[in-house]
Amino acid sequence: MNRVIQIRMSDAVVWAVSLLFAFGLLLNEAVAETRLPAAANDKWKAECGSCHIAYAPALLPAAAWRRVMAGLDRHFGTDASLDAASAAEIGAFLERNAASGKRAADTGALRITESRWFLRQHDEVRASAWKNPKVRTAANCSACHSGAERGDFDEDHVRIPR
Ligand code: HEC
Ligand code: HEC
């Protein structure tokens, strides 16, 4: 083998390794996007999971959770008040595990479903899909994401009901 080809071969190896590395990073990013960190708190599960799924803390920035927790007596048309100790424990848990990255951009929205990242992720969902009686509301994540309760929003597990 002549010297020039040898040099090209080692270049190719360096390129292949770099590409694999970059691909690994991309893959990691994609997984982080759709599998939310598994954070759990018994009180949160029980109190915030009785009327709808217990929305994963990573779905809203800390400031939005603070607003949600401050207005539980007028919670989206219902009264979800808690005793002060429970509210403090749940609030601290939500803020500690709140959204980071893209989802952390606080747009002032109280709802997950009105945040900019949510609207962007769902811009291909047809308007009629949200109105399907099996869905009713965008807040009903588990109607389409079977793993929503576990924080699994992997696109491979999405199924829009007909
Ligand atoms: C008494 C019932 C009830 C309880 C308890 C309750 N919620 Fe809700 N929550 C609702 C209703 C009703 C809505 C509005 C759902 C809709 O628009 O379809 C809602 C909506 C939400 C939303 C906005 C969903 C969206 O559209 O993005 C968040 C966030 C939320 N709740 C957090 C919590 C947290 C945190 C707790 C626990 C501290 C909690 N909820 C406890 C009834 C409840
Ligand atoms: C009407 C069905 C429907 C409902 C309800 C719904 N989603 Fe989705 N969601 C989808 C579809 C469809 C996609 C796009 C999947 C894709 O990229 O192919 C999606 C994508 C996502 C993604 C990005 C997944 C990825 O792999 O990029 C996240 C995160 C997500 N949804 C979270 C939520 C949350 C949180 C809720 C409830 C507050 C919710 N969704 C409610 C249908 C729904």
Side-chain angles (χ1 to χ4, degrees):
M1 206 186 287
N2 77 39
R3 201 171 153 69
V4 176
I5 291 174
Q6 252 174 3
I7 289 166
R8 292 228 174 101
M9 290 265 304
S10 63
D11 271 1
V13 170
V14 169
W15 269 105
V17 169
S18 319
L19 273 174
L20 274 174
F21 184 70
F23 188 67
L25 283 180
L26 275 175
L27 213 61
N28 241 328
E29 176 82 352
V31 170
E33 165 108 74
T34 53
R35 301 256 172 158
L36 303 177
N41 171 285
D42 290 341
K43 228 167 220 161
W44 161 73
K45 250 297 183 282
E47 303 288 355
C48 305
S50 57
C51 298
H52 43 66
I53 64 159
Y55 300 114
L59 288 170
L60 278 180
W65 283 127
R66 218 168 297 135
R67 287 193 294 270
V68 168
M69 293 307 290
L72 284 181
D73 55 332
R74 317 155 257 116
H75 182 74
F76 304 99
T78 179
D79 184 350
S81 306
L82 289 171
D83 61 278
S86 302
E89 178 179 334
I90 294 171
F93 163 75
L94 290 169
E95 289 187 38
R96 197 165 52 244
N97 297 286
S100 57
K102 282 191 290 243
R103 278 189 300 272
D106 187 20
T107 54
L110 207 52
R111 286 178 177 268
I112 301 157
T113 52
E114 284 171 2
S115 66
R116 213 172 296 149
W117 76 263
F118 183 95
L119 298 173
R120 199 172 330 108
Q121 293 288 5
H122 294 88
D123 62 359
E124 283 172 20
V125 177
R126 275 183 290 125
S128 59
W130 303 115
K131 300 202 187 92
N132 183 326
K134 290 178 192 151
V135 178
R136 291 182 342 268
T137 151
N140 187 10
C141 319
S142 45
C144 305
H145 297 277
S146 58
E149 196 95 49
R150 299 187 306 276
D152 174 5
F153 295 95
D154 195 300
E155 59 187 79
D156 293 343
H157 303 157
V158 180
R159 206 186 60 86
I160 300 179
R162 291 179 186 281

